Amino acid sequence: LKPRSTAHFRPPPPAMAAAGIVRRSLLRLATTRAAPRLAAPVPALLPFPRLAAPALVARGYVTVAKYTRDDVLVQLDAFHAEVLSTNWADYLNLVYSVPFWEAELDKLTTIVQPYLHEPAMGDKFAKVQEMMDVLYQCEDVRDHLNELAELCTRASGFMGTGYAAEEKVENLDEHAKLCGDVYDKLLSR
């Protein structure tokens, strides 16, 4: 037997590794001289379907649960109240909460679909979507202000000693005016 070249070999993802090991061992058993020959390959065993890597698989929200109009309205109201009543300036709270809110919003988007044609339900869902848009815009402004603050502290150097100091931000007044304009625009929404 000739040794195989491994230059083209790339290790499979973990989900595919188990299926590949079984497939290779069955193929090896079917093709080695010492093993008894199979008359024909077993179609159910040999061509294992390739499994997708778990990190690349997007899992959608599928349900057979039916929600009544009242159930959907209660969930929309509860979600709206929870997000709106949270302190949007608390960065750590948002870091912990926003991923769960996004998952809940995906679920709500699915279950509200049969009732979107109704004016009350459509308006309520539109308010929820607008609230989330405003939350993301507020996060963007807050992140910009945090970046400015970080740049200002780096301008004084390592521990305020001047060592490895970076350039100062010269147009802080312009940034403050722009942030104020965005704030006024967000308040008008």
Side-chain angles (χ1 to χ4, degrees):
L1 290 174
K2 220 164 128 181
R4 284 192 210 172
S5 169
T6 58
H8 68 282
F9 179 74
R10 195 172 88 208
M16 294 171 48
I21 291 170
V22 173
R23 183 182 321 121
R24 281 193 301 275
S25 64
L26 286 175
L27 287 173
R28 200 173 293 124
L29 178 68
T31 58
T32 48
R33 293 178 198 211
R37 299 269 177 198
L38 296 174
V42 182
L45 294 178
L46 290 181
F48 287 112
R50 292 237 177 232
L51 302 173
L56 301 176
V57 176
R59 187 173 182 186
Y61 181 78
V62 179
T63 182
V64 294
K66 294 183 180 178
Y67 294 91
T68 65
R69 181 187 184 285
D70 294 334
D71 292 341
V72 174
L73 193 57
V74 166
Q75 288 186 21
L76 269 176
D77 285 336
F79 179 75
H80 185 265
E82 180 183 351
V83 174
L84 193 61
S85 65
T86 298
N87 181 5
W88 289 7
D90 185 359
Y91 173 76
L92 190 60
N93 181 31
L94 291 180
V95 166
Y96 288 144
S97 300
V98 167
F100 294 104
W101 291 343
E102 289 171 345
E104 183 70 18
L105 183 62
D106 286 344
K107 179 181 143 190
L108 287 172
T109 301
T110 302
I111 67 174
V112 79
Q113 293 303 315
Y115 308 106
L116 276 180
H117 68 281
E118 299 175 13
M121 192 68 75
D123 291 344
K124 184 65 174 179
F125 188 65
K127 284 183 181 179
V128 167
Q129 287 180 319
E130 183 180 10
M131 175 190 64
M132 293 302 288
D133 289 343
V134 171
L135 172 68
Y136 293 138
Q137 291 172 5
C138 288
E139 281 185 331
D140 291 342
V141 171
R142 187 198 62 234
D143 289 344
H144 181 72
L145 290 174
N146 286 341
E147 288 288 327
L148 283 175
E150 186 174 338
L151 288 174
C152 289
T153 58
R154 288 183 181 178
S156 65
F158 180 71
M159 302 290 288
T161 61
Y163 175 74
E166 294 185 8
E167 293 182 29
K168 282 188 164 187
V169 178
E170 300 293 333
N171 58 347
L172 278 178
D173 292 336
E174 293 173 27
H175 284 281
K177 184 178 181 329
L178 288 173
C179 288
D181 293 344
V182 170
Y183 179 73
D184 291 338
K185 180 181 165 192
L186 289 175
L187 284 179
S188 68
R189 291 183 91 186

